[in-house]
């Protein structure tokens, strides 16, 4: 294997990992309720939306960017995701994949987690 081939393999392995760590660091910097919402959406996406590593990284980077901007602008979680967080998440994911099978239990958990984050944010105001 040539050095060029080795560096290509290393980039494929390390690149997504570095992007993931950068994404997680950005999430950690969000205000509590926005972080809770992003983590709930992330969990839902990780389990039920099949994407490749590059699409996956781009999707999560766009997600955290959306919530960073919303936090900076004082936009509430409900203004971002609306009343149906499952619909928001699945619509968001359609930009990155063909979607996947999402069981009702997972949809319910996402809805409850976003409700918790929204209530948490309202209590902080």
């Amino acid at each position: 294997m040539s050095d060029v081939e080795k560096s290509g393999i290393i980039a494929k392995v390390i690149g997504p990992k570095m992007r993931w760590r950068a994404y997680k660091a950005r999430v950690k910097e969000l205000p509590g309720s926005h972080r809770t919402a992003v983590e709930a959406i992330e969990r839902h996406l990780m389990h039920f939306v099949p994407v490749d590593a590059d699409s996956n990284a781009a999707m999560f980077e766009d997600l955290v960017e959306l919530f960073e901007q919303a936090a900076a602008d004082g936009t509430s979680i409900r203004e971002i995701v609306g009343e149906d967080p499952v619909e928001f998440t699945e619509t968001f994911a359609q930009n990155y994949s063909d979607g996947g099978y999402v069981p009702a239990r997972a949809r319910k958990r996402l809805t409850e987690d976003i409700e918790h984050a929204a209530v948490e944010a309202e209590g902080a105001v």
Side-chain angles (χ1 to χ4, degrees), residues 47-123:
H47 288 288
F48 303 109
V49 179
V51 293
D52 62 58
D54 288 332
S55 293
N56 201 358
M59 177 175 60
F60 288 117
E61 289 164 348
D62 289 349
L63 177 66
V64 75
E65 186 172 326
L66 172 66
F67 276 82
E68 285 170 338
Q69 188 61 51
D73 294 343
T75 305
S76 74
I77 292 165
R78 285 288 176 210
E79 290 176 280
I80 302 166
V81 302
E83 291 302 315
D84 188 347
V86 173
E87 180 181 346
F88 166 82
T89 302
E90 291 176 359
T91 300
F92 181 82
Q94 285 175 358
N95 294 311
Y96 304 92
S97 75
D98 292 332
Y101 169 72
V102 182
R105 185 175 75 209
R107 292 171 186 242
K108 183 176 188 270
R109 180 175 181 188
L110 176 61
T111 300
E112 289 170 351
D113 288 348
I114 294 297
E115 180 63 29
H116 173 76
V119 168
E120 180 182 323
E122 290 170 6

